[in-house]
Amino acid sequence: TLEATLALDGEHDASVDVLDVHGRRVAQMFRGLASGAHTLRLDTRAQGMEAGVYFIVARSGGEQVTRRVVVLD
């Protein structure tokens, strides 16, 4: 299971995607209007994600944050 926390000041359109090392979106953890703090969880096995390196990309209010994660078997 992959877990990420999204914390927003005020209400904003936001998205949180998981990309593979080639930049392809392999999962969408969140997309919509949000405010405050949210814990997002993704079942990597149910998404068919193999062990490897991925990137969580969060976008909101014209800003983007990217974090590298490693999925273990």
Side-chain angles (χ1 to χ4, degrees), residues 1-6 15-20 26-27 29-30 40 42 49 53-59 64-71:
T1 300
L2 190 59
E3 186 173 289
T5 301
L6 176 66
S15 66
V16 180
D17 297 311
V18 180
L19 308 179
D20 65 14
V26 296
M29 295 182 77
F30 180 82
L40 308 172
L42 178 72
M49 294 170 61
V53 176
Y54 295 87
F55 297 92
I56 297 176
V57 180
R59 296 178 183 94
Q64 177 176 305
V65 176
T66 303
R67 296 289 183 259
R68 183 175 60 115
V69 296
V70 177
V71 173

Side-chain angles (χ1 to χ4, degrees), residues 16-40:
V16 180
D17 297 311
V18 180
L19 308 179
D20 65 14
V21 294
H22 302 290
R24 294 180 296 229
R25 185 172 66 193
V26 296
Q28 186 173 76
M29 295 182 77
F30 180 82
R31 182 170 306 276
L33 196 59
S35 65
H38 303 273
T39 300
L40 308 172

